[in-house]
Amino acid sequence: MARILIVDDQEMMRDSLCATLSREGHEVVAAGDGQAAVARLEGGGRFDLMISDVKMPKMGGLELLAEAKRLRPDMPVVLMTAFATVSTAVEAMKVGAFDYIQKPFDGDQIKLLVDRTLDHSRLVRENQALRTMAEVAATRPLVGSSEVMQQVRRRIDLVARSSATVLVCGESGTGKEVVARLIHARSDRAERPMLTVNCAALSENLLESELFGHEKGAFTGADKLRRGRFELADGGSLLLDEISEIAMSLQAKLLRVLQESQFERVGSSMTQQVDVRVIATTNRILEHAVNEGRFRQDLFYRLNVVPIELPPLRQRLEDVPELCRHFLHQVAKRDRGVFRHIEPEAMRLLQRYHWPGNVRELQNIIERACILESEPGVIREETIRPWLRIGGGSPSDVADLAGQPLAEIEKRVILTTLEKFKGHRLKTASALGIGVRTLGMKLKKWREDGEPAEARV
């Protein structure tokens, strides 16, 4: 719910508005005149909306509007006005007020206006954030000159020209979201929003509401209409991250959107028509999930129209030096520090490592070295070597891994590290250079497959 500042010199009106909006779940703060409202705004308090009377002593609504736009330019302002001053309110909208409401009004009128204003404000913020992300994505490079990465770039350029559904596959940390945003940024939808939904982070009911929206009263807690991500992304793109985790009960509804571009909000029988390009990512092999009956075959085919496979870092170790330089430049620019160089022995060590956390782990190592390296201007082998012998193993322990499947090596490394940190997932994920969610998903998969996951802890 929102935090709303009510400004009116009439106590009865203030109390009535505060009561009405508080019942809707909003946090309401009252001010008796314009000067008191300015003091509230100058005090550093965050407000999502200000509702002010036009005619007040000391400081009128128009003067307060000007001050509010100076202090909180992104905060919408709604003016309350009597009939005789409607023209003044309309003029005020030209200089920054979002809307006005004519006195007298009832509770339903003000509630609808507040909902509409807050929805508009939220969409403005989201669009600003999306434009920023699109600008970043358009200039954010897909680092690596290896042949496999050149093939990925060529595929991205071809895919971006169409509106076909794309399935980006690859291990965690390989850069699947970077690829998805590059596809959107280079498409003719780049000026429209690109929204993201993490399918693994939400329960089944929350994910359905997040994707398709819901009507007011559709379920307990649905106290207002909510537009889903498909509706908000109309004309643009929707990134479905970790698509393999979507529940079977939702897969049919998702399939319908992909096939017919139609859906209904939860609790509604009215069909919505949308034009959304779907880009899905997964770190699982979806064919296995299909064979095991956990993922619909028809949905897999609909998602897999244009597949893009991202190689793990261990299969393109020739890109490690280029990636290191990229991350070193990022750190130096962000922290306004000196650009460091990696000594040859350290670089050879990095190029021999198997990188279970892929590019994300390499970025983590480089940033950590820039902070903790005591030698100015360089990154030495002795600084980074302890971080690569994960789990405290000796060089002979690493040699014993030769010839074993990479999946088994990854599992041993993760479980050994988890054991070292006594089951603390956050510390384990940080040491491995992967996300806590990624660690949890791997442990969950091993348990589902009947393999020991955390028994050693």
Side-chain angles (χ1 to χ4, degrees):
M1 292 289 100
R3 192 164 189 258
I4 302 174
L5 176 60
I6 303 293
V7 190
D8 199 304
D9 60 313
Q10 296 180 13
E11 184 178 1
M12 186 177 296
M13 175 60 74
R14 288 200 312 272
D15 291 346
S16 176
L17 281 173
C18 288
T20 298
L21 296 178
S22 295
R23 284 194 295 270
E24 293 297 297
H26 300 295
E27 179 185 351
V28 183
V29 177
D33 55 56
Q35 292 179 348
V38 170
R40 292 278 190 178
L41 296 174
E42 288 179 334
R46 178 195 63 81
F47 293 98
D48 301 294
L49 168 64
M50 183 175 79
I51 303 175
S52 173
D53 193 17
V54 170
K55 192 172 182 180
M56 296 183 294
K58 299 183 182 179
M59 177 184 287
L62 298 184
E63 188 178 354
L64 174 58
L65 171 63
E67 283 295 296
K69 286 298 162 185
R70 181 180 65 84
L71 295 168
R72 296 286 187 273
D74 296 329
M75 180 186 67
V77 177
V78 170
L79 295 176
M80 300 179 290
T81 176
F83 177 78
T85 56
V86 167
S87 60
T88 305
V90 172
E91 183 63 28
M93 291 177 62
K94 296 179 182 179
V95 294
F98 175 78
D99 207 341
Y100 71 92
I101 185 168
Q102 182 179 326
K103 294 180 178 180
F105 51 81
D106 58 33
D108 288 339
Q109 287 177 294
I110 193 65
K111 286 188 290 187
L112 287 173
L113 179 54
V114 166
D115 287 345
R116 183 164 61 87
T117 305
L118 293 173
D119 283 343
H120 180 270
S121 180
R122 178 176 56 83
L123 287 175
V124 168
R125 290 195 303 271
E126 286 184 356
N127 287 336
Q128 288 173 341
L130 290 167
R131 280 195 296 271
T132 301
M133 288 190 292
E135 291 169 0
V136 171
T139 58
R140 187 177 180 184
L142 193 63
V143 179
S145 301
S146 60
E147 177 56 33
V148 289
M149 291 308 291
Q150 292 182 38
Q151 292 175 5
V152 169
R153 287 193 193 88
R154 288 193 288 268
R155 178 64 66 90
I156 289 172
D157 289 338
L158 291 172
V159 168
R161 302 172 191 170
S162 76
S163 290
T165 304
V166 183
L167 181 63
V168 185
C169 306
E171 296 178 7
S172 295
T174 51
K176 298 185 292 294
E177 186 172 346
V178 174
V179 169
R181 295 196 178 282
L182 281 172
I183 292 171
H184 175 76
R186 296 179 184 179
S187 72
D188 57 5
R189 296 172 178 259
E191 297 300 318
R192 301 293 297 165
M194 178 180 185
L195 303 183
T196 300
V197 176
N198 187 334
C199 301
L202 300 173
S203 67
E204 180 180 339
N205 291 337
L206 287 177
L207 181 58
E208 183 177 18
S209 175
E210 188 70 20
L211 289 173
F212 307 111
H214 62 251
E215 295 291 328
K216 182 177 181 180
F219 50 84
T220 303
D223 55 356
K224 60 183 293 186
L225 181 147
R226 178 188 175 98
R227 295 198 291 168
R229 294 285 166 164
F230 271 102
E231 195 171 347
L232 293 171
D234 192 21
S237 303
L238 180 61
L239 170 57
L240 300 180
D241 192 23
E242 304 301 351
I243 188 67
S244 59
E245 304 308 304
I246 192 170
M248 286 288 288
S249 58
L250 288 182
Q251 291 180 23
K253 197 166 183 177
L254 178 59
L255 177 64
R256 183 186 173 209
V257 180
L258 295 176
Q259 289 179 330
E260 304 173 16
S261 300
Q262 294 180 341
F263 70 94
E264 289 83 35
R265 296 190 191 117
V266 178
S268 173
S269 60
M270 185 175 71
T271 299
Q272 304 278 336
Q273 188 81 29
V274 290
D275 172 24
V276 176
R277 196 231 189 117
V278 170
I279 305 173
T281 69
T282 181
N283 60 6
R284 303 265 186 113
I285 300 175
L286 282 186
E287 291 95 327
H288 292 178
V290 171
N291 294 336
E292 294 166 2
R294 293 185 291 106
F295 203 85
R296 293 179 60 119
Q297 186 178 57
D298 48 5
L299 178 57
F300 167 69
Y301 289 137
R302 180 60 64 177
L303 289 168
N304 200 39
V305 175
V306 184
I308 296 181
E309 183 76 31
L310 276 178
L313 185 54
R314 61 181 173 272
Q315 293 181 6
R316 57 182 187 107
L317 291 174
E318 64 267 38
D319 288 334
V320 168
E322 187 177 349
L323 284 162
C324 288
R325 288 191 296 272
H326 173 69
F327 294 137
L328 286 168
H329 278 292
Q330 279 190 333
V331 173
K333 182 179 179 180
R334 182 194 67 196
D335 297 341
R336 299 180 180 178
V338 177
F339 176 80
R340 290 181 178 269
H341 297 275
I342 300 178
E343 65 179 18
E345 294 81 3
M347 185 61 74
R348 284 192 287 270
L349 179 64
L350 292 172
Q351 288 190 274
R352 291 197 304 269
Y353 187 54
H354 61 281
W355 297 112
N358 291 294
V359 177
R360 187 182 295 123
E361 183 182 6
L362 175 58
Q363 181 178 12
N364 179 284
I365 293 291
I366 295 300
E367 291 195 6
R368 188 188 308 169
C370 288
I371 296 170
L372 300 180
E373 174 62 77
S374 59
E375 190 72 20
V378 299
I379 293 175
R380 300 168 298 161
E381 178 190 13
E382 54 261 39
T383 300
I384 63 175
R385 178 177 287 278
W387 304 333
L388 301 184
R389 291 208 303 267
I390 299 174
S394 66
S396 61
D397 294 330
V398 178
D400 290 341
L401 298 176
Q404 295 191 28
L406 288 172
E408 180 60 28
I409 293 174
E410 179 189 54
K411 183 177 179 182
R412 285 182 58 184
V413 168
I414 289 176
L415 293 181
T416 302
T417 310
L418 195 64
E419 184 178 22
K420 176 184 177 181
F421 290 108
K422 297 180 173 55
H424 195 296
R425 292 194 181 190
L426 182 59
K427 293 180 180 179
T428 300
S430 177
L432 292 169
I434 61 177
V436 176
R437 181 172 59 85
T438 298
L439 174 62
M441 289 174 61
K442 289 181 181 296
L443 295 173
K444 177 183 176 184
K445 181 178 184 299
W446 292 332
R447 287 195 298 269
E448 290 174 349
D449 293 343
E451 302 177 22
E454 295 177 273
R456 299 173 61 181
V457 179

